[in-house]
Amino acid sequence: MEPLFVADVLLDEERVSIRCEDGVIAAVGADLSPSDGDQVIEADGMLITPPMVNCHTHSAMTLFRAYGDDLPLMQWLEEMIWPAEAKLTAEDVYWGTKLATVEMLRSGTTKFYDIYWNSDQVAQAAVDAGMRVAAGQAVIDQMDSAKAPELVAESSEFLDRLGEMGPLVTPCIAPHAIYTVSEESLRGLAELMQERDAIFNIHLSETEHEVQQCLERTGKRPADYLDSLGALGPLSILAHGVWLGESELELIADRGSTVVTNPCANMKLAVGGALPYPAALERGVDLALGTDGPSSNSNLNMFEEAKIFALLQKHQAVDPSVAPAGEVLALARGERSKLVAGTPIAEGEAADFLLLDLRVPEMAAGDLDARLVYGAPSEAVDTAVVAGSVVMRGREVPGADEALAEVRERSQRLTS
Ligand SMILES: [Zn+2]
């Protein structure tokens, strides 16, 4: 791959140029010039920023957008989504994810953590778009512990298979939730996490009902229950965490696990609460932000998610100083979780970044972080670069029209 030279960008307040080589930022400076053979982007004073990292989604669910909205969570899953998903083919998942990659790039996301069926296809669509993905093959056994050995073996094979897809793909273990996966399977998958050093990505404490059910069934709160199975560690990602109690937050901080908050989906499904963010911060819990699937959100726009996260947390705390703009951006860029880690724009870091067009109206003036969070100008995202490759330029994503047509047709078949 030829080196990439980005000329004349605004980094913080300074005009610099940036040279990327072998997927890494090789040089940042005011007086750099391109070498022969460099691919050159004349950025013309655009703003360079780290990209967003969407830490919890089911991206192929673009196929089920605006399908069964305004229903309670379980009714929506049982009556609408699960019957439609039963008809899914691997190709459907590919195209659903392909459309999602277009949406994500256009709203500034270059890496996403995904849980779905046929996740080989999720990973393939991400690779084809030049994006990074942490792809998890969903595991559900409907509490039938006899299925545990087979499911653990399948997850192990999935790790092997996706491990060969190259540097953009991180394969994950992905049990759906503590109410859809038996204790035996969870224990087996936790062992697999330890053995294979693989990410363990699960939904946890999304609804109060889930907590009650867990207490009745196991005598433990959800995080305590997971810990008793060996499933809480630095490679564990817990999506939602709306109903985590104080002692659970302490335990999660101690284990170094990451909690991913999904404020849009939580409010849309009216789960009745929000991640206890101030308490989680106080205890030093690693945190990240995600959109959840485009069926429950119903988009993949991390600028919008960041704004809504900030508003919800301020509102809940009755304190506008909670979740200040700079912190919210750090969260949305993965910089508040040791596991996710962000990609700052500095020499030696991965060459993953965005170029933002300052001619977009919301970008005209004011504190930069506040503009980006509260103005939420995802339209300003002009260019996306991943591992030194330009994956979007001028908001044009290759293959976008085809992905849109495929999803339109496939969605009709799946939801009729
Ligand atoms: Zn989810």
Side-chain angles (χ1 to χ4, degrees):
M1 189 179 66
E2 59 192 357
L4 175 68
F5 189 88
V6 186
D8 190 24
V9 285
L10 213 53
L11 174 60
D12 301 320
E13 309 273 285
E14 250 175 282
R15 276 186 181 252
V16 297
S17 293
I18 290 180
R19 190 160 191 273
C20 312
E21 218 173 339
D22 300 325
V24 171
I25 296 177
V28 180
D31 43 18
L32 297 178
S33 41
S35 305
D36 284 349
D38 283 6
Q39 179 191 359
V40 178
I41 291 184
E42 294 291 348
D44 203 16
M46 283 193 189
L47 179 73
I48 186 167
T49 71
M52 302 295 202
V53 185
N54 189 347
C55 288
H56 179 72
T57 189
H58 316 282
S59 55
M61 292 182 85
T62 54
L63 293 159
F64 305 122
R65 184 175 358 239
Y67 178 62
D69 289 55
D70 310 324
L71 291 174
L73 175 63
M74 288 323 289
Q75 193 186 347
W76 171 70
L77 282 175
E78 286 168 5
E79 292 174 18
M80 308 297 289
I81 294 301
W82 288 344
E85 282 184 339
K87 301 187 223 167
L88 270 178
T89 66
E91 271 207 330
D92 293 332
V93 172
Y94 177 85
W95 286 109
T97 309
K98 191 78 205 305
L99 186 68
T101 63
V102 176
E103 294 178 41
M104 286 192 272
L105 288 173
R106 285 166 60 95
S107 51
T109 295
T110 60
K111 177 172 184 180
F112 60 108
Y113 287 69
D114 199 275
I115 302 176
Y116 213 53
W117 314 107
N118 289 302
S119 278
D120 298 59
Q121 299 300 319
V122 173
Q124 190 58 54
V127 168
D128 290 351
M131 291 180 71
R132 296 186 195 272
V133 66
Q137 173 81 354
V139 175
I140 289 185
D141 66 14
Q142 297 297 5
M143 310 313 259
D144 179 358
S145 56
K147 290 183 178 157
E150 187 191 331
L151 290 174
V152 174
E154 277 174 20
S155 285
S156 177
E157 285 159 21
F158 177 78
L159 296 179
D160 290 338
R161 251 188 350 263
L162 268 72
E164 288 171 7
M165 288 188 74
L168 296 176
V169 177
T170 307
C172 305
I173 300 161
H176 172 261
I178 56 173
Y179 56 90
T180 47
V181 185
S182 67
E183 187 175 322
E184 286 71 11
S185 290
L186 286 171
R187 207 186 287 278
L189 293 170
E191 274 166 25
L192 193 62
M193 160 179 79
Q194 310 275 7
E195 273 168 35
R196 303 290 298 271
D197 229 8
I199 291 173
F200 180 101
N201 195 350
I202 189 167
H203 295 91
L204 196 79
S205 271
E206 180 173 5
T207 64
E208 200 171 16
H209 176 69
E210 177 187 337
V211 178
Q212 289 310 328
Q213 213 184 28
C214 184
L215 277 167
E216 279 161 31
R217 200 165 50 81
T218 71
K220 297 185 176 77
R221 293 185 65 87
D224 299 316
Y225 171 60
L226 270 191
D227 192 53
S228 74
L229 306 177
L232 275 197
L235 291 167
S236 310
I237 296 181
L238 316 172
H240 296 296
V242 172
W243 296 96
L244 293 171
E246 304 245 327
S247 65
E248 289 177 287
L249 291 172
E250 218 143 276
L251 175 68
I252 290 166
D254 189 58
R255 297 292 186 260
S257 311
T258 293
V259 178
V260 181
T261 181
N262 309 275
C264 286
N266 293 157
M267 285 197 283
K268 188 159 179 255
L269 289 162
V271 298
L275 168 79
Y277 175 64
L281 271 188
E282 205 174 293
R283 282 159 186 79
V285 175
D286 281 16
L287 298 170
L289 184 68
T291 59
D292 213 341
S295 182
S296 62
N297 180 301
S298 300
N299 65 33
L300 295 152
N301 187 328
M302 284 288 288
F303 278 93
E304 183 179 287
E305 200 73 30
K307 175 173 180 172
I308 289 179
F309 166 77
L311 301 191
L312 175 62
Q313 290 297 339
K314 289 172 197 300
H315 186 72
Q316 169 123 325
V318 199
D319 180 356
S321 71
V322 166
E327 261 311 295
V328 174
L329 279 178
L331 186 81
R333 292 167 177 166
E335 294 165 8
R336 290 296 175 263
S337 156
K338 288 184 279 301
L339 174 62
V340 178
T343 45
I345 294 159
E347 286 173 17
E349 295 286 346
D352 293 12
F353 51 80
L354 308 174
L355 301 181
L356 269 59
D357 188 346
L358 293 169
R359 292 169 305 181
V360 165
E362 292 89 341
M363 293 299 287
D367 174 78
L368 181 59
D369 289 352
R371 254 185 279 170
L372 289 174
V373 172
Y374 305 121
S378 56
E379 296 76 11
V381 180
D382 178 88
T383 299
V385 172
V386 180
S389 285
V390 181
V391 294
M392 178 180 75
R393 181 84 176 111
R395 298 185 65 67
E396 291 294 326
V397 180
D401 291 345
E402 190 186 8
L404 193 135
E406 288 281 352
V407 167
R408 194 166 276 158
E409 199 181 305
R410 288 165 189 276
S411 173
Q412 236 161 36
R413 187 193 88 244
L414 292 164
T415 60
S416 60

